């Protein structure tokens, strides 16, 4: 494909299980890429589906296969609802990340469900999806994938930080894009907020009410991952194995959230040279207490865009990854993932 205007949907489901982000966007390729977000929704998961996705890491192969088919149908319903609600037509493609169940690049394995060919038939649209598997097969981390979008759509900023289930940082160094997961964020904060009856820590109110436990903070900051060099990425498996067992040494839930919020700020600040522009998106950008904590630890110039971009940047960039696949252009950078080479990743399904 070589036409320059792309009318597409981008779809993202993150590890924090907030819901399915769907964005209707136009991507335009002239001298540089530009975009417009027309409509966007985050469709929360039904309680049963959310619980299944949370538990799926313990499932056997048969149970995962069943969930994959069920989730594909569930995703198709949400996509059809979005298209019908906003009366969208003439789509070039629906570009979908799917939902990560397993991410074990050290074992050359990653799985995002909802990427079955059946999806194209159920929504009667061309689908571009399953962007991580090829990268892992090429000895890459399969993550993060967003940095190609940071380069092409948000390249005017020195650093791009996404505060989602995990914190991911992206920047240019010696004419290469460098990116990696810094630490878990909402996948941990939301876990403990639920114990206090909330889906997430609104504005960081729980953290503000708690007290940082310095001994536990030191243990968190000493985890081996933080001393590894990039490329590197994190998954839920790592959180379960390392983070929760440390945090559960603290009795009060607000103290846990306060301690972990401080840990996030410390780890992010360690990655930032002074005075650079830092463009922050993802749900954590609404956590004002976390941002205040980060400002105490860094002199980077923090830039928070409009909510439309904060909430939909990942869906927007997966739309871009899909378009790059259709154009047969590289959408995975070896400098980011550690793969053997840059490559054009993803599967294309037609109805």
């Amino acid at each position: 494909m070589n036409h320059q205007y792309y009318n597409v949907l981008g779809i993202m489901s993150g590890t924090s299980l907030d819901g399915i982000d769907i964005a209707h966007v136009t991507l335009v390729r002239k001298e540089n890429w530009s975009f417009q977000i027309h409509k966007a929704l985050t469709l929360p998961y039904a309680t049963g589906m959310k619980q299944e996705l949370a538990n799926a890491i313990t499932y056997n192969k048969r149970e995962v296969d069943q969930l994959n088919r069920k989730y594909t149908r569930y995703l198709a319903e949400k996509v059809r609802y979005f298209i019908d609600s906003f009366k969208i037509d003439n789509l070039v493609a629906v570009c979908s990340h799917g939902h990560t169940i397993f991410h074990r690049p050290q074992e050359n394995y990653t799985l995002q469900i909802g990427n079955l060919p059946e999806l194209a038939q159920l929504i009667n649209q061309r689908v571009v999806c399953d962007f991580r598997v090829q990268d892992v097969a090429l000895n890459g981390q399969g993550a993060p994938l967003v940095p190609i979008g940071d380069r092409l759509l948000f390249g005017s900023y020195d650093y791009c930080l996404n505060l989602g289930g995990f914190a991911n940082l992206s920047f240019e160094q010696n004419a290469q894009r460098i990116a990696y997961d810094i630490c878990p964020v909402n996948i941990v904060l939301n876990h403990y907020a639920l114990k206090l009856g909330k889906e997430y820590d609104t504005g960081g109110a729980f953290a503000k009410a708690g007290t940082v436990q310095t001994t536990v903070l030191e243990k968190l900051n000493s985890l081996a991952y933080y001393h590894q060099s990039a490329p590197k990425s994190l998954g839920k498996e790592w959180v379960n194995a390392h983070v929760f067992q440390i945090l559960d040494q603290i009795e009060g839930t607000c103290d846990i959230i306060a301690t972990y919020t401080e840990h996030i700020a410390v780890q992010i600040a360690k990655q930032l040279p002074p005075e650079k522009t830092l463009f922050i998106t993802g749900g954590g950008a609404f956590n004002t207490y976390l941002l205040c904590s980060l400002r105490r630890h860094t002199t980077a110039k923090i830039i928070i865009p409009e909510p439309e971009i904060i909430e939909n940047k990942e869906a927007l960039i997966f739309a871009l990854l899909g378009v790059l696949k259709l154009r047969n252009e590289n959408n995975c950078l070896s400098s980011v993932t550690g793969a053997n080479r840059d490559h054009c990743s993803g599967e294309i399904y037609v109805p």
Side-chain angles (χ1 to χ4, degrees):
M1 284 194 171
N2 54 19
H3 61 279
Q4 305 293 292
Y5 294 82
Y6 298 89
N7 180 40
V8 292
L9 297 190
I11 305 175
M12 177 66 192
S13 172
T15 48
S16 53
L17 291 173
D18 296 333
I20 300 170
D21 297 331
I22 306 179
H24 174 213
V25 305
T26 300
L27 289 157
V28 181
R29 179 71 167 97
K30 294 182 179 177
E31 288 185 10
N32 297 299
W33 283 99
S34 62
F35 68 89
Q36 182 178 358
I37 300 174
H38 302 291
K39 298 290 184 180
L41 285 178
T42 296
L43 301 173
Y45 282 114
T47 303
M49 178 57 71
K50 185 172 184 176
Q51 194 61 52
E52 284 197 74
L53 294 174
N55 294 338
I57 197 168
T58 67
Y59 285 6
N60 60 37
K61 185 181 185 306
R62 181 183 60 82
E63 291 169 330
V64 170
D65 288 345
Q66 287 178 341
L67 179 59
N68 197 353
R69 292 190 293 272
K70 181 177 180 180
Y71 183 79
T72 300
R73 294 191 295 270
Y74 183 91
L75 181 59
E77 289 175 8
K78 300 304 181 185
V79 174
R80 288 199 306 265
Y81 168 81
F82 184 90
I83 291 172
D84 292 344
S85 295
F86 295 115
K87 297 179 172 56
I88 299 167
D89 56 16
N90 299 316
L91 285 170
V92 172
V94 172
C95 311
S96 180
H97 171 269
H99 185 84
T100 298
I101 299 299
F102 302 111
H103 185 62
R104 301 170 186 161
Q106 68 279 6
E107 301 172 18
N108 293 108
Y109 181 59
T110 188
L111 174 66
Q112 288 69 47
I113 62 172
N115 290 329
L116 297 176
E118 179 185 0
L119 180 61
Q121 283 130 31
L122 289 171
I123 64 175
N124 195 33
Q125 300 284 344
R126 177 190 294 143
V127 169
V128 190
C129 63
D130 218 6
F131 297 101
R132 298 190 188 273
V133 172
Q134 179 175 297
D135 192 79
V136 171
L138 289 170
N139 297 313
Q141 290 286 308
L145 297 184
V146 166
I148 185 70
D150 290 340
R151 169 185 276 181
L152 297 178
L153 300 179
F154 301 101
S156 61
Y157 303 101
D158 295 321
Y159 287 78
C160 290
L161 175 67
N162 180 66
L163 296 175
F166 298 88
N168 330 107
L169 193 68
S170 166
F171 55 95
E172 293 289 326
Q173 186 177 81
N174 300 325
Q176 287 190 317
R177 196 77 190 179
I178 306 299
Y180 48 89
D181 287 344
I182 299 175
C183 63
V185 180
N186 293 331
I187 193 172
V188 173
L189 296 179
N190 293 0
H191 172 83
Y192 289 103
L194 281 171
K195 295 180 183 294
L196 297 173
K198 299 291 184 180
E199 292 286 322
Y200 52 89
D201 185 10
T202 306
F206 293 143
K208 188 175 182 179
T211 301
V212 174
Q213 304 296 306
T214 55
T215 302
V216 172
L217 179 62
E218 289 170 4
K219 289 180 181 179
L220 289 168
N221 289 334
S222 297
L223 286 167
Y225 176 84
Y226 300 128
H227 304 286
Q228 297 172 13
S229 57
K232 58 182 182 177
S233 63
L234 291 166
K236 187 176 181 181
E237 296 94 329
W238 186 87
V239 179
N240 291 344
H242 299 286
V243 176
F244 290 140
Q245 64 178 353
I246 295 176
L247 286 173
D248 286 341
Q249 296 171 21
I250 301 173
E251 289 188 12
T253 304
C254 283
D255 288 353
I256 291 175
I257 295 173
T259 301
Y260 197 76
T261 300
E262 181 70 6
H263 170 67
I264 295 166
V266 167
Q267 290 304 322
I268 292 172
K270 283 182 178 180
Q271 315 304 315
L272 302 172
E275 304 300 328
K276 297 294 185 180
T277 54
L278 178 65
F279 183 73
I280 301 181
T281 54
F286 295 111
N287 187 327
T288 51
Y289 185 81
L290 172 57
L291 296 182
C292 287
S293 298
L294 181 57
R295 287 188 175 98
R296 283 193 286 105
H297 291 285
T298 181
T299 60
K301 299 173 183 176
I302 293 175
I303 297 162
I304 308 297
E306 56 268 33
E308 180 183 65
I309 293 178
I310 292 175
E311 295 169 341
N312 298 296
K313 181 186 168 207
E314 286 190 294
L316 164 67
I317 290 181
F318 277 98
L320 175 65
L321 262 69
V323 168
L324 292 173
K325 173 66 178 179
L326 293 174
R327 290 170 61 92
N328 198 31
E329 296 178 8
N330 288 337
N331 57 12
C332 283
L333 302 174
S334 58
S335 62
V336 169
T337 68
N340 298 338
R341 54 179 170 81
D342 293 350
H343 57 101
C344 182
S345 187
E347 298 290 341
I348 301 173
Y349 301 130
V350 295

